Amino acid sequence: MFSQNLREMLDLALFWEYRQILLAGLAFNFYVFAVSAVVAVSLGFLAALGRVNPLRPLRWLGAIHVETFRNAPDYVMLVWVHFVLPLLLSQMLGQRITFAPFVSAVIALGLVYSGYLAETFRTGIQAVPKGQIEAARACGMGGALIMRRIILPQAVRMMLPEAMNNFVSLFKATTIVSLITVPDLMYRVSMVTQQEMRPLPLYTGAAITYFLLIWGVAALARAGSERWRRKIWA
Amino acid sequence: MADAASTPPCVEVVDLHKRFGPLEVLRGVSTRVDRGSVVSIIGASGSGKSTLLRCINYLELPTSGEVRIDGEAVGFERRPDGQVRKRSAREIARFRQDLGMVFQQFNLWPHLTVLGNVVEAPLRVRGMPKREAMELGRACLARVQLSEKADEYPARLSGGQQQRVAIARALAMQPKVMLFDEATSALDPELTGEVLEVMRGLAADGTTMIVVTHEMAFAREVSDRAIYLHNGLIEEEGPPAQVFGDPKSDRCRQFLAKLLH
Ligand SMILES: Nc1ncnc2c1ncn2[C@@H]1O[C@H](COP(=O)(O)OP(=O)(O)OP(=O)(O)O)[C@@H](O)[C@H]1O
Ligand SMILES: [Mg+2]
């Protein structure tokens, strides 16, 4: 009985048979990832700028943003954004609003990962020695110029490995969007499973696909970012 | 034009106070630095030397008092109608362009080459055309004898070389006055000479300089005037021969004696 299950689990021919549908699903994981990443980087950068701002109210806003979204579980956020947020907005605006599943997925993941990325960015920004910033001020440079010319070029290199970790986590998180019917790989696997009634090879195939993909990309990203970071300015 | 007495000094400090919370670090400092002169500031650790320099270019905001550059107050604008208005951060940054500062820890920007460090502010702050800035940058590097290091990154240079780059970076803004905060204190003894040599050259060229230093022999040699700071007040001030040779203040005498052992 056990060995039969095992054999069936590893019989990936069925998975291969549906490869086109499944691949199209995987593409959705990438879409969700890419758009969420843009949202997360933009909001995360703004929040990080808030957190390092001399103005206290902006520091508070940044901190609230980070704490709220970094501490929200992906799944809870996804469900809340998809089912609750539209209702709230409908109430406020007095007209019926719904989000397409893709939109909800991107908002939810973008927000959650903007919290993580904000902290990554802040750490990088604050790792630039104060003396360098004073030297820039002493030359008459203003805040925006200092950020662009002195802080960011160094901060980006320092925070790159951590940002890569955040992106890998974000990609993993895209696998839960099937819960609100975004037609990604997992969603399609469960569709096919309903037809074929053979969950073992299908879910195993999905697991292996995700694993290989994430493992490969993460290894590449790590190698690339380490290399860039270590490249001392010499 | 007006006679010498009516032209304002290059830097004038009027009754400057600075407190950090309960600690009053500067307790009413007034002095003036004429164009082309070198003033050295000495004093024990914690006496407020760095704070005074940092207040002069408004890296620290003075608690009260005034700093004037060529007669113009850095922190305030006196309107013709007598009204006084605080200047914005942007206006204060405008004054800083004319005040070169050299720090104990060099504070070079490691991601830019030596020449990149030197031309950054002329290019981005002054908006100088690239070719002109490069020429100026190379000229400044020549003044600190580092022409051949223009394309190196700071991490590849010795401490003495890094500090000379920092001096070139400040010079490239063609400042009215150069502020030095213990420029040689972070250097190994065998490297201080080359930096002092460059500073000596600047003084000889008529650069207006305010020099905080523990190098007493150097201060005595290059300054036109010396200031001994004690607990946030000027305790002794005068020609170097007086301050170093025959101070009126006992505290200054003791301070110098301790240095000599
Ligand atoms: N940002 C700050 N916040 C609080 N206290 C400060 C700050 N900067 C300086 N101080 C204090 O002010 C006093 C004077 O400091 P300052 O750096 O001006 O002394 P200094 O004469 O330059 O000493 P040193 O020879 O050690 O450089 C010290 O007691 C120092 O602890
Ligand atoms: Mg000091």
Side-chain angles (χ1 to χ4, degrees):
Chain A
M1 184 61 201
F2 177 77
S3 68
Q4 195 195 333
N5 272 351
L6 194 65
R7 207 171 312 123
E8 186 181 339
M9 189 171 97
L10 294 174
D11 173 20
L12 297 177
L14 184 63
F15 189 77
W16 185 246
E17 209 172 289
Y18 282 95
R19 64 186 172 278
Q20 274 178 340
I21 296 178
L22 297 176
L23 204 61
L26 196 56
F28 261 93
N29 288 103
F30 278 105
Y31 296 151
V32 171
F33 169 76
V35 182
S36 310
V38 170
V39 172
V41 166
S42 321
L43 289 180
F45 184 60
L46 287 180
L49 285 185
R51 290 211 71 177
V52 301
N53 205 280
L55 296 176
R56 194 188 300 253
L58 288 182
R59 278 209 304 279
W60 271 92
L61 270 181
I64 290 170
H65 180 102
V66 167
E67 292 310 328
T68 307
F69 296 118
R70 199 177 49 161
N71 293 310
D74 304 340
Y75 175 44
V76 175
M77 188 59 118
L78 189 67
V79 169
W80 192 86
V81 167
H82 192 58
F83 297 109
V84 183
L85 186 58
L87 284 181
L88 275 181
L89 289 177
S90 304
Q91 290 274 313
M92 276 164 53
L93 301 175
Q95 66 187 71
R96 200 176 122 73
I97 289 179
T98 55
F99 290 160
F102 181 83
V103 172
S104 299
V106 161
I107 294 176
L109 294 182
L111 284 175
V112 169
Y113 284 84
S114 75
Y116 292 108
L117 281 166
E119 282 303 88
T120 303
F121 294 161
R122 180 178 67 90
T123 311
I125 288 170
Q126 289 182 334
V128 176
K130 290 264 180 303
Q132 288 184 34
I133 294 160
E134 293 215 315
R137 289 175 66 208
C139 289
M141 292 170 78
L145 195 57
I146 294 176
M147 182 55 75
R148 188 161 61 78
R149 294 287 308 171
I150 307 299
I151 298 177
L152 285 184
Q154 299 184 65
V156 165
R157 292 183 200 216
M158 285 188 274
M159 67 198 172
L160 207 61
E162 189 52 31
M164 286 301 160
N165 287 339
N166 295 150
F167 287 132
V168 168
S169 302
L170 172 57
F171 187 77
K172 286 188 197 165
T174 63
T175 58
I176 62 168
V177 298
S178 58
L179 291 164
I180 57 167
T181 72
V182 176
D184 77 331
L185 176 58
M186 283 306 277
Y187 182 83
R188 286 168 198 237
V189 163
S190 45
M191 291 293 107
V192 174
T193 302
Q194 279 171 30
Q195 279 174 25
E196 296 283 341
M197 304 306 275
R198 288 180 61 203
L200 294 189
L202 287 166
Y203 280 115
T204 305
I208 292 174
T209 307
Y210 276 128
F211 172 79
L212 288 178
L213 199 69
I214 292 169
W215 179 71
V217 169
L220 266 180
R222 229 182 341 266
S225 65
E226 256 322 290
R227 187 130 141 242
W228 196 39
R229 196 170 78 115
R230 283 235 206 85
K231 190 188 119 194
I232 48 160
W233 292 285
Chain B
M1 255 211 65
D3 56 328
S6 73
T7 54
C10 185
V11 178
E12 191 173 14
V13 175
V14 185
D15 196 27
L16 202 66
H17 290 253
K18 175 65 187 178
R19 74 180 34 263
F20 293 109
L23 181 69
E24 188 162 27
V25 176
L26 297 179
R27 301 188 296 146
V29 173
S30 302
T31 192
R32 43 184 290 163
V33 179
D34 291 316
R35 192 162 302 106
S37 73
V38 177
V39 172
S40 55
I41 301 175
I42 59 171
S45 181
S47 56
K49 306 180 297 292
S50 297
T51 305
L52 175 56
L53 273 196
R54 294 164 57 80
C55 281
I56 287 176
N57 69 2
Y58 268 64
L59 281 181
E60 296 289 357
L61 217 57
T63 308
S64 69
E66 245 183 88
V67 176
R68 297 189 198 129
I69 307 299
D70 279 342
E72 251 190 293
V74 177
F76 315 90
E77 184 189 2
R78 286 214 170 64
R79 296 243 183 76
D81 61 6
Q83 292 236 339
V84 175
R85 182 187 64 90
K86 264 197 179 160
R87 289 194 203 271
S88 66
R90 189 183 293 260
E91 289 172 285
I92 290 172
R94 175 71 196 70
F95 275 91
R96 287 202 196 103
Q97 296 178 23
D98 296 330
L99 308 172
M101 178 123 173
V102 176
F103 300 85
Q104 189 175 338
Q105 300 296 339
F106 331 139
N107 296 336
L108 295 178
W109 303 310
H111 59 298
L112 299 176
T113 62
V114 163
L115 186 59
N117 269 270
V118 175
V119 299
E120 179 68 15
L123 276 176
R124 316 262 165 193
V125 178
R126 289 235 194 268
M128 196 179 270
K130 185 153 185 191
R131 175 194 289 263
E132 197 181 321
M134 291 297 171
E135 233 164 71
L136 170 68
R138 288 188 189 280
C140 291
L141 284 176
R143 275 183 93 177
V144 300
Q145 268 110 52
L146 282 175
S147 297
E148 78 284 8
K149 299 288 186 192
D151 299 320
E152 288 282 12
Y153 281 87
R156 299 275 294 257
L157 304 186
S158 73
Q161 291 172 330
Q162 290 191 40
Q163 190 61 298
R164 287 187 280 147
V165 173
I167 293 173
R169 173 174 68 181
L171 287 175
M173 287 299 277
Q174 300 170 305
K176 293 173 178 167
V177 53
M178 290 281 287
L179 312 174
F180 291 87
D181 190 1
E182 296 192 31
T184 57
S185 291
L187 297 175
D188 294 337
E190 70 272 19
L191 298 178
T192 58
E194 61 190 69
V195 173
L196 294 179
E197 194 51 49
V198 165
M199 291 169 68
R200 221 174 256 127
L202 294 180
D205 292 346
T207 312
T208 311
M209 294 163 58
I210 304 179
V211 183
V212 170
T213 186
H214 287 301
E215 301 277 343
M216 297 304 153
F218 172 78
R220 185 169 187 167
E221 173 200 331
V222 302
S223 348
D224 300 296
R225 201 152 47 83
I227 289 172
Y228 169 67
L229 211 57
H230 177 78
N231 272 346
L233 284 171
I234 294 182
E235 173 95 6
E236 175 103 21
E237 176 171 18
Q242 173 206 315
V243 174
F244 294 102
D246 185 23
K248 296 185 211 120
S249 139
D250 285 338
R251 285 211 192 87
C252 182
R253 195 182 293 276
Q254 282 161 16
F255 169 74
L256 291 167
K258 224 180 270 168
L259 283 180
L260 296 171
H261 290 294

